[in-house]
């Protein structure tokens, strides 16, 4: 993408741009959002991640104004957003199937928002040109959208939204219609475009890899509530709940009994500062390794297990382990020789993250 | 794949049908239009006399013009009624959509003739409309101008053809992906601007199809003028009917039919070209 400074953000980066306060949405008897609260910082790339039906798209549509909220408030830069009709919100959307106007050519599609808001003709021409250059679509200016490939339509949809200099850009699974290779390419284009224009992006996806690759922060939505919001690194390394740990990446969930500062998992135990009682820990497969390869640290948790299966995937391989107690664990280790039988394994106690149910 | 024999066999019925009931009668009509009538018998002397009569006798021109005017009025009124109806049903009716749709369609199940006679009883001197006007003391005497006038014909034809206009418009509105309407509003266009910039342009093919229906069907209608029209609302089809019937001037009747046919085909061809330009598949 060429470096065209399209947008001068009116809120300093990092300040709160949008505040979602206890928003609920009901469709008949179905409560899709349950008093969900969320703050979006100016200039950030925030991803709403969740399964289909979790309410993430509904939240996006509430912010765009396509749905009326049942309860709660949405604020943008100190004024109520939810009271405004969609055409008065300084928010633009990139739709899942792009929703380009089939009767207008590419440049008329991009000019649509500027014409609707009665922008001066000379300014429209210049801004449309800049926007098409930004997404490298200038040579298709007079083409009809139906003649374009998925990736090209995607770029036009981005230009059509960004040309209006929105304060917030909503993206509703915009990459889901593309094939795998193109999706990877569009991901990196999207990321660098967002850095360039500095517009706040609210991105909806059910693809956790996409969320990890693109986002400054990920908001994990589950059954209409916010499960956890954090940076990709944080949410992966320190999942707050068992659901988060399982949804983002793979994990082993270990149930333990805490007694006098020791977490007892049956097959092994380690020191823990948690209070007495039952607890759940998440240990990522890559935290577990063969004991003879592990550094000799004091807080190493050692156990022996039988290798049930070995799944090779290039640089690493996944081992399915069976403990003496019958429980199974998964370990991801650097690829090496074929293994079989019983081996000693280990993980650092600090890699066992306590998670809520 | 299908064999040649199979293809031949399945295409025989439609070819026969078209040849026997369309092409042959049209050819017969075309041939007749170049003959003439002398002493109550048809003479096979090839000439352009009938077409000359059409050009020079103002009676035929007047009826033709009146017919076109009535058809144009019916078209405009049907579109003015049918479009808002289709728009409301498709975009705003919500869960009542199916029921309302059926209600629009129901009149199509009632015979054309029955609907014609219904208008007779509504508009006549001792009809429902006059009874009501006298009851509320708007008029003292029955108004005879309602029935047997071009107005009555336009009213009846509009009533009959509005569902025909409604249907293709409704279909084209249903065809518009809803995200396009959301995208328009998202880009700052008010509902009004969204209608004129997105919904109307994308429903033009349906509008055109409906308008063509109404115009072409009204143009050839002869029952409405017969039932509620009277002498002041004679249309071209009535003229043709009388030329083939009482007047026994088949050649002149055939010549008028040929003119109407060519006119209709021209309209259909024009509509088809416009539709091709306006569709965005």
């Amino acid at each position: 993408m060429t470096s065209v400074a399209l947008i001068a953000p009116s809120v300093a980066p990092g300040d709160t741009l949008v505040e979602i306060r206890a928003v609920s949405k009901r469709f008949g008897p179905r409560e899709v959002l349950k008093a969900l609260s969320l703050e979006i910082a100016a200039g950030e790339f925030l991803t709403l991640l969740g399964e289909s039906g979790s309410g993430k798209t509904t939240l996006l549509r509430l912010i765009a104004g396509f749905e009326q909220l049942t309860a709660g408030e949405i604020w943008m830069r100190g004024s109520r957003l939810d009271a405004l009709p969609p055409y008065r919100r300084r928010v633009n959307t990139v739709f899942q199937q792009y929703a380009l106007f089939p009767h207008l050519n590419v440049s008329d599609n991009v000019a649509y928002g500027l014409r609707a808001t009665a922008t001066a003709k000379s300014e429209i021409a210049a801004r449309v040109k800049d926007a098409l250059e930004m997404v490298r679509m200038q040579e298709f200016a007079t083409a009809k959208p139906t003649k374009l490939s998925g990736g090209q339509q995607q770029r036009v949809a981005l230009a059509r939204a960004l040309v209006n200099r929105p304060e917030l850009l909503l993206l509703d699974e915009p990459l889901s219609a593309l094939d795998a290779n193109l999706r990877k390419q569009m991901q990196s284009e999207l990321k660098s475009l967002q850095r360039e224009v500095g517009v706040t992006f609210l991105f909806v996806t059910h693809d956790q890899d996409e969320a990890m690759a693109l986002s400054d922060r990920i908001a994990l939505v589950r059954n209409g509530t916010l499960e956890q919001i954090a940076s990709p690194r944080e949410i992966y390394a320190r999942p707050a709940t068992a659901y988060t740990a399982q949804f983002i990446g793979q994990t082993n969930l270990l149930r333990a009994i805490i007694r006098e500062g020791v977490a007892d998992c049956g097959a092994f135990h380690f020191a823990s500062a948690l209070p007495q009682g039952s607890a759940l820990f998440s240990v990522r497969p890559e935290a577990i390794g063969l004991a003879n390869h592990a550094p000799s640290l004091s807080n190493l948790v050692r156990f022996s297990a039988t290798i049930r299966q070995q799944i090779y995937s290039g640089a690493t391989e996944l081992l399915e382990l069976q403990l003496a107690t019958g429980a199974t664990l998964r370990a991801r280790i650097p690829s090496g020789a074929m293994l079989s039988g019983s081996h000693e394994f280990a993980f650092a106690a600090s890699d066992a993250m306590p998670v809520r149910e | 794949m299908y064999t040649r024999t199979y293809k031949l066999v399945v295409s025989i019925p439609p070819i026969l049908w078209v040849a026997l009931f369309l092409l042959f009668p049209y050819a017969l009509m075309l041939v007749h239009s170049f003959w003439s009538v002398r002493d109550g018998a048809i003479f096979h002397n090839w000439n352009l006399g009938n077409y000359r009569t059409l050009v020079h006798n103002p009676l035929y021109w007047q009826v033709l013009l009146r017919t076109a005017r009535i058809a144009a009025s019916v078209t405009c009124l049907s579109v003015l009624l049918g479009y808002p109806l289709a728009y409301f049903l498709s975009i705003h009716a919500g869960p009542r959509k199916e029921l309302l749709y059926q209600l629009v369609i129901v009149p199509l199940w009632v015979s054309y003739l029955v609907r014609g006679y219904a208008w007779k009883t509504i508009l006549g001197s001792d009809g429902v409309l006059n009874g009501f006007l006298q009851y509320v003391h708007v008029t003292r005497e029955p108004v005879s101008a309602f029935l047997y006038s071009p107005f009555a014909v336009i009213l009846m034809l509009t009533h009959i053809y509005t569902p025909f206009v409604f249907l293709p418009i409704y279909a084209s509105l249903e065809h518009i992906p809803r995200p396009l309407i959301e995208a328009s509003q998202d880009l700052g266009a008010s509902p009004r601007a969204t209608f004129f910039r997105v919904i109307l342009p994308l429903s033009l093919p349906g509008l055109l199809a409906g308008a063509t229906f109404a115009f072409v069907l009204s143009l050839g209608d002869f029952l409405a003028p017969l039932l509620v029209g009277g002498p002041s609302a004679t249309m071209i089809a009535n003229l043709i009917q009388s030329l083939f019937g009482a007047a026994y001037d088949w050649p002149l009747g055939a010549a008028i039919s040929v003119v109407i046919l060519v006119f209709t085909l021209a309209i259909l061809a024009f509509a088809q070209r416009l539709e091709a330009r306006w569709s965005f598949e």
Side-chain angles (χ1 to χ4, degrees):
Chain A
M1 313 253 170
T2 58
S3 60
V4 180
L6 268 183
I7 287 103
S10 46
V11 176
D15 290 358
T16 299
L17 178 70
V18 175
E19 215 180 314
I20 292 153
R21 294 183 189 161
V23 161
S24 295
K25 175 65 184 174
R26 200 180 264 287
F27 291 110
R30 217 159 56 86
E31 196 171 25
V32 178
L33 289 174
K34 298 161 192 161
L36 189 146
S37 295
L38 179 66
E39 282 185 12
I40 304 171
E44 79 170 324
F45 195 126
L46 178 64
T47 296
L48 293 176
L49 177 65
E51 297 169 65
S52 57
S54 60
K56 57 192 192 304
T57 295
T58 301
L59 182 58
L60 198 78
R61 292 175 60 79
L62 283 170
I63 297 171
F66 304 142
E67 307 283 356
Q68 297 296 309
L69 35 75
T70 310
E73 295 170 359
I74 301 174
W75 291 73
M76 184 154 157
R77 292 214 293 127
S79 60
R80 278 290 280 274
L81 190 69
D82 54 284
L84 298 174
Y87 52 93
R88 296 211 196 287
R89 300 184 184 197
R90 290 210 55 192
V91 170
N92 286 115
T93 307
V94 174
F95 292 83
Q96 193 167 12
Q97 302 292 337
Y98 321 129
L100 298 177
F101 302 117
H103 58 302
L104 302 178
N105 69 25
V106 165
S107 74
D108 287 337
N109 259 284
V110 175
Y112 190 94
L114 299 175
R115 290 194 180 126
T117 50
T119 313
K121 268 208 169 101
S122 53
E123 195 189 338
I124 291 178
R127 277 168 69 175
V128 168
K129 187 170 164 288
D130 283 355
L132 286 177
E133 271 173 24
M134 172 183 72
V135 296
R136 300 193 322 253
M137 286 296 289
Q138 60 273 43
E139 59 188 292
F140 296 94
T142 56
K144 282 282 168 71
T146 44
K147 300 274 183 272
L148 303 179
S149 70
Q152 290 169 335
Q153 290 187 40
Q154 171 73 83
R155 291 201 183 92
V156 175
L158 271 167
R160 185 179 71 172
L162 285 172
V163 77
N164 303 295
R165 299 176 185 167
E167 296 195 273
L168 176 64
L169 186 72
L170 307 174
L171 302 104
D172 184 12
E173 308 218 14
L175 306 179
S176 62
L178 304 176
D179 62 62
N181 281 332
L182 196 54
R183 188 156 59 224
K184 285 272 179 291
Q185 188 195 331
M186 284 307 294
Q187 277 180 13
S188 73
E189 284 189 21
L190 208 54
K191 183 75 195 164
S192 56
L193 183 68
Q194 194 263 342
R195 290 239 173 83
E196 226 168 81
V197 297
V199 173
T200 313
F201 275 33
L202 184 62
F203 186 92
V204 161
T205 186
H206 61 266
D207 180 338
Q208 47 127 335
D209 290 330
E210 199 164 279
M212 299 283 257
L214 292 172
S215 321
D216 294 322
R217 286 196 300 163
I218 295 173
L220 185 60
V221 183
R222 179 193 186 191
N223 289 334
T225 58
L226 192 61
E227 187 81 358
Q228 188 173 1
I229 179 165
S231 72
R233 282 171 198 280
E234 173 82 10
I235 208 166
Y236 184 80
R238 269 184 285 282
T241 65
Y243 179 83
T244 307
Q246 282 174 311
F247 194 88
I248 296 177
Q250 285 186 315
T251 201
N252 297 296
L253 286 178
L254 308 174
R255 181 156 304 280
I257 306 292
I258 314 281
R259 207 176 288 123
E260 290 156 11
V262 173
D264 185 0
C265 297
F268 44 79
H269 48 82
F270 49 88
S272 170
L274 291 181
Q276 303 267 83
S278 172
L280 204 59
F281 290 88
S282 157
V283 182
R284 297 288 183 191
E286 64 271 19
I288 302 173
L290 286 160
N292 52 358
H293 292 178
S296 50
L297 295 170
S298 55
N299 61 351
L300 223 51
V301 183
R302 291 169 172 276
F303 61 94
S304 73
T306 315
I307 294 164
R308 295 253 315 270
Q309 210 169 22
Q310 186 172 14
I311 302 163
Y312 177 73
S313 58
T316 63
E317 50 196 340
L318 190 71
L319 303 180
E320 246 181 65
L321 312 176
Q322 184 155 31
L323 304 180
T325 55
T328 59
L329 285 181
R330 280 179 295 186
R332 186 169 285 285
I333 61 169
S335 290
M338 287 296 287
L339 299 168
S340 63
S342 187
H343 288 266
E344 278 279 299
F345 290 89
F347 63 90
S350 58
D351 283 335
M353 300 307 306
V355 292
R356 292 196 309 273
E357 301 276 335
Chain B
M1 278 292 109
Y2 300 111
T3 64
R4 275 180 69 105
T5 327
Y6 176 83
K7 283 183 192 165
L8 202 68
V9 169
V10 293
S11 56
I12 281 174
I15 288 173
L16 268 183
W17 179 275
V18 168
L20 218 60
F21 298 117
L22 283 172
L23 296 181
F24 179 64
Y26 283 157
L28 217 56
M29 197 173 74
L30 189 67
V31 167
H32 267 85
S33 74
F34 295 112
W35 293 343
S36 60
V37 168
R38 209 174 302 158
D39 305 327
I42 293 168
F43 263 83
H44 299 182
N45 58 332
W46 300 85
N47 68 86
L48 292 169
N50 297 315
Y51 292 99
R52 235 173 260 134
T53 309
L54 286 186
V55 174
H56 293 303
N57 191 336
L59 168 76
Y60 301 111
W61 272 115
Q62 281 163 8
V63 175
L64 202 59
L65 265 176
R66 180 196 294 148
T67 305
R69 249 198 336 262
I70 289 176
S73 311
V74 170
T75 307
C76 289
L77 287 173
S78 306
V79 167
L80 285 178
L81 285 171
Y83 197 102
L85 190 63
Y87 177 80
F88 173 79
L89 243 67
S90 176
I91 312 281
H92 297 297
R96 293 159 297 175
K97 200 170 179 170
E98 279 305 308
L99 177 70
L100 290 171
Y101 179 81
Q102 293 302 330
L103 287 179
V104 176
I105 299 306
V106 160
L108 289 179
W109 301 344
V110 178
S111 153
Y112 184 110
L113 266 176
V114 172
R115 283 183 281 169
Y117 276 106
W119 279 111
K120 248 177 132 84
T121 62
I122 292 169
L123 298 175
S125 293
D126 50 357
V128 178
L129 182 59
N130 268 313
F132 173 74
L133 289 178
Q134 286 174 60
Y135 175 74
V136 296
H137 299 289
V138 173
T139 58
R140 280 189 199 167
E141 301 289 311
V143 181
S144 57
F146 293 144
L147 198 56
Y148 305 125
S149 65
F151 160 78
V153 174
I154 292 172
L155 197 62
M156 177 177 159
L157 288 178
T158 301
H159 170 227
I160 286 169
Y161 292 128
T162 297
F164 286 93
V165 175
F166 161 85
L167 279 173
I169 296 175
Y170 180 77
S172 68
L173 288 171
E174 284 290 281
H175 209 69
I176 299 175
R178 293 309 184 254
L180 292 187
I181 297 171
E182 289 179 351
S184 171
Q185 300 210 12
D186 187 73
L187 292 165
S190 63
R192 194 186 132 91
T194 298
F195 174 76
F196 284 109
R197 286 163 192 254
V198 175
I199 298 174
L200 185 61
L202 289 176
S203 63
L204 277 182
L207 181 69
L208 186 69
T212 313
F213 260 139
F215 189 78
V216 169
L217 291 176
S218 316
L219 199 67
D221 196 275
F222 79 97
L223 263 176
L226 210 62
L227 286 173
V228 299
S232 68
T234 301
M235 286 170 75
I236 202 71
N238 306 98
L239 205 61
I240 295 171
Q241 189 207 14
S242 71
L243 283 169
F244 273 90
Y248 193 65
D249 194 343
W250 284 28
L252 186 58
I256 301 177
S257 305
V258 168
V259 170
I260 292 290
L261 182 67
V262 169
F263 187 46
T264 307
L265 288 177
I267 290 170
L268 290 178
F270 178 68
Q272 203 162 29
R273 285 191 58 169
L274 267 189
E275 206 175 328
R277 185 185 304 171
W278 287 344
S279 62
F280 316 100
E281 294 309 310

